[in-house]
Amino acid sequence: MTEDRREIARLCENLTWLRGAAEEAGLGERLAAAISAAAAGRAEGVTDLLRRMDVPEAPAVRSPGGIVHPATTEERYGVEVYGCPGAACDRSWIRPPGVAVPRCAVRGSLLAQRDT
């Protein structure tokens, strides 16, 4: 995963809470610019914003609530993995049974299923 794609993934994963926090910190315009860049597959302004907002590094594969689901080859049978619908980042999300597929926080469209 390239550094830009990793940063876009971090933005996407944290965007729900970042919107309010950035407004409170007076960084709403910077966040809007970072979202526009991320939607175009660029990380311009994203890394700086994430550092200013103290967003920690995150594992590549996550599920809702930030729970990491490590999987061995045997455990991966039947696992549904979803990712960026625009291929702008390498974020992966494992869909727990019965949980609806979420929308990309940057683009607004449903995450795309990946081959496992």
Side-chain angles (χ1 to χ4, degrees), residues 14-62:
N14 291 285
L15 197 50
T16 301
W17 72 266
L18 270 174
R19 283 190 165 104
E23 286 297 325
E24 287 179 20
L27 299 172
E29 289 182 21
R30 282 191 175 184
L31 178 60
I35 291 169
S36 293
R42 299 184 323 271
E44 297 161 10
V46 173
T47 301
D48 181 56
L49 178 71
L50 295 175
R51 284 187 185 133
R52 288 195 71 176
M53 299 300 298
D54 293 323
V55 176
E57 294 288 329
V61 178
R62 301 177 66 89

Side-chain angles (χ1 to χ4, degrees), residues 76 78-82 93-96 101 113-114 116:
R76 291 189 63 100
V79 171
E80 293 179 10
V81 179
Y82 292 81
W93 179 79
I94 297 174
R95 187 173 83 99
V101 176
Q113 189 168 6
R114 293 186 177 168
T116 54

Side-chain angles (χ1 to χ4, degrees), residues 70-79 116:
T72 65
T73 304
E74 298 81 26
E75 293 170 325
R76 291 189 63 100
Y77 179 76
V79 171
T116 54

